[in-house]
Amino acid sequence: MPEQVKYDTLKPTGNKIPLVGFGTARIPPEETEEVVYNAIKSGYRMIDGAYLYGNEKEVGKGVRRAIADGIVKREDLFIVGKLWNNFHSAKHVAPIFEKTLDNYEFDYIDLYLVHWPVPSEYIDPKEFLGFCPKGQDLKWERSPMQDCWRELEKLVDAGKIKNIGISNFNCQLILDLLTYARIHPSVLEIELHPYLQQKRLVKWAKKENIHVIAYASLGNMVYDEVPENLKNVPKLMEHETVTKIAKKHNRNPGQILLRWAVQQKITVVPKSVKESRMKSNLDVFCFELDDEDMKDLESLNINARFNDLVENMYGFELPIFE
Ligand SMILES: NC(=O)c1ccc[n+]([C@@H]2O[C@H](COP(=O)([O-])OP(=O)(O)OC[C@H]3O[C@@H](n4cnc5c(N)ncnc54)[C@H](OP(=O)(O)O)[C@@H]3O)[C@@H](O)[C@H]2O)c1
């Protein structure tokens, strides 16, 4: 097994968060239980789930099987869930959270994030089809984040959520949230890799005691359809700077990209259904990038956001990052 996962401390609660967790987006439900079980067996202690991913039940099964087999205890795991856009209004927050808790079959979760700052018209969970089905207009609704946050705070008070946080929020939205939050956000989860470093946002979040989780740490791996202006950007995993550093340390490019974030105390949540990749993605604690490596990787920043809310990816335009 790779050297043990290292942790950082979430300032608002003092809870420990692993610096490497396991992502569960795009894992077909029929494979999820086995994949999550194998991830825990490989040494992962954090699972990044979401209602959107449509596999919460199977994530729960995989986790509970690992616990039943004595691989891990519930208290040693850090389980994440996310509130989807259609459930931001005050009366829908608790019911959809309870659905997630039922799907997982846990008594509590460690972190619950507002997935996107996009309050969208309520949809019956039975008719839920994912983000916003292509060809349909995104219908936003008047659900202020302040009301949504109040409901999340009540769930923390009830002991059902240990930490609350946000994802895909910019500085302005977080700043506003900090003006009314009774319970401070523990985490900000954002797309982050050497092509999209957002150094000022990361620095500011840390200063405000908000831990950063990076998603898509391997860059443009999964995004087949990307914003028009990014179509010709070479795969980050194949960039010569990354492969050169990988060779120097006798590691693979994935490990270099993950180590780059972890070395800055940013949590990563790589997803892989393949056990060999799962293991190598976790194995980033027994080597260090030197100043020259970090500088070389820093020079790759081109502010390339691959997971943007643009027409050719999601079927609608919403310039939330502009
Ligand atoms: N908060 C948000 O809005 C948000 C958005 C996107 C993602 N996320 C979270 O972040 C997680 C990770 O992001 P992601 O899934 O988009 O991207 P990622 O983890 O950066 O990349 C995953 C892809 O890379 C492949 N891969 C994994 N490790 C590899 C390696 N060592 N070498 C070569 N290929 C490798 C995987 O294929 P195989 O499975 O075939 O190995 C998969 O296709 C998600 O699963 C999800 O939990 C959150």
Side-chain angles (χ1 to χ4, degrees):
M1 189 178 291
E3 196 176 316
Q4 270 207 324
V5 181
K6 298 233 177 344
Y7 292 80
D8 198 12
T9 301
L10 297 174
K11 297 289 185 325
T13 57
N15 293 157
K16 284 193 324 175
I17 183 169
L19 285 171
V20 178
F22 187 74
T24 60
R26 297 187 192 80
I27 308 179
E30 61 280 12
E31 291 173 36
T32 303
E33 177 183 344
E34 195 62 19
V35 167
V36 167
Y37 179 84
N38 286 334
I40 296 173
K41 212 169 77 182
S42 303
Y44 286 86
R45 293 295 174 261
M46 168 178 170
I47 307 292
D48 186 67
Y51 186 78
L52 174 74
Y53 306 158
N55 55 11
E56 286 182 327
K57 268 194 182 18
E58 295 75 13
V59 166
K61 278 188 190 158
V63 172
R64 282 180 286 108
R65 176 142 72 93
I67 295 172
D69 285 358
I71 297 172
V72 75
K73 294 193 190 98
R74 171 66 186 93
E75 57 268 32
D76 295 329
L77 289 169
F78 192 94
I79 305 292
V80 183
K82 303 189 194 87
L83 174 75
W84 187 245
N85 301 346
N86 301 99
F87 311 105
H88 280 202
S89 77
K91 64 176 185 239
H92 293 128
V93 173
I96 201 70
F97 169 75
E98 293 292 347
K99 203 165 171 49
T100 287
L101 212 52
D102 280 357
N103 282 343
Y104 284 153
E105 292 190 42
F106 301 144
D107 300 329
Y108 68 92
I109 65 172
D110 298 276
L111 173 65
Y112 197 54
L113 301 170
V114 180
H115 205 151
W116 286 86
V118 182
S120 307
E121 223 171 54
Y122 175 73
I123 193 159
D124 188 313
K126 289 193 208 85
E127 287 155 28
F128 184 70
L129 287 174
F131 209 115
C132 168
K134 270 196 174 174
Q136 288 182 22
D137 274 347
L138 179 83
K139 295 187 188 87
W140 65 273
E141 66 167 21
R142 294 162 67 102
S143 314
M145 184 46 57
Q146 183 164 3
D147 296 350
C148 178
W149 199 254
R150 292 274 170 271
E151 295 305 311
L152 296 176
E153 290 174 329
K154 285 185 206 161
L155 292 165
V156 175
D157 292 341
K160 295 181 177 187
I161 305 176
K162 302 265 188 213
N163 294 274
I164 44 180
I166 58 253
S167 177
N168 301 301
F169 278 47
N170 62 11
C171 170
Q172 294 91 313
L173 280 163
I174 303 170
L175 201 51
D176 183 50
L177 190 144
L178 296 182
T179 65
Y180 55 76
R182 173 171 61 82
I183 299 181
H184 198 80
S186 291
V187 163
L188 167 65
E189 181 166 312
I190 46 175
E191 178 181 343
L192 193 113
H193 41 72
Y195 278 158
L196 179 68
Q197 300 186 18
Q198 305 169 90
K199 281 197 165 293
R200 294 171 69 206
L201 178 59
V202 171
K203 190 173 170 198
W204 178 77
K206 284 187 176 178
K207 185 169 144 271
E208 294 296 336
N209 292 327
I210 303 171
H211 180 79
V212 174
I213 300 181
Y215 72 74
S217 302
L218 307 178
N220 40 354
M221 279 304 283
V222 291
Y223 302 103
D224 301 328
E225 290 182 73
V226 297
E228 281 303 321
N229 60 326
L230 301 177
K231 285 221 155 110
N232 297 322
V233 175
K235 291 273 183 235
L236 179 60
M237 291 274 275
E238 291 160 15
H239 195 288
E240 61 173 6
T241 300
V242 178
T243 53
K244 183 192 77 186
I245 298 173
K247 221 171 181 180
K248 172 174 157 188
H249 291 275
N250 205 14
R251 299 273 151 188
N252 64 47
Q255 290 174 313
I256 300 305
L257 294 172
L258 297 169
R259 177 72 209 183
W260 171 81
V262 161
Q263 207 159 301
Q264 302 173 62
K265 292 234 169 133
I266 292 170
T267 291
V268 291
V269 286
K271 165 262 172 191
S272 179
V273 296
K274 301 190 173 70
E275 263 189 85
S276 59
R277 285 178 176 171
M278 264 178 205
K279 287 184 178 145
S280 88
N281 289 345
L282 193 58
D283 191 10
V284 296
F285 296 107
C286 54
F287 73 102
E288 218 175 301
L289 299 173
D290 59 35
D291 290 350
E292 194 188 333
D293 303 330
M294 291 302 273
K295 247 198 213 139
D296 286 350
L297 289 166
E298 227 167 79
S299 74
L300 300 188
N301 190 36
I302 48 171
N303 296 325
R305 184 183 301 282
F306 299 104
N307 193 25
D308 206 345
L309 302 184
V310 291
E311 184 77 38
N312 68 330
M313 290 178 72
Y314 289 108
F316 61 88
E317 282 285 340
L318 202 63
I320 65 167
F321 299 109
E322 286 177 17

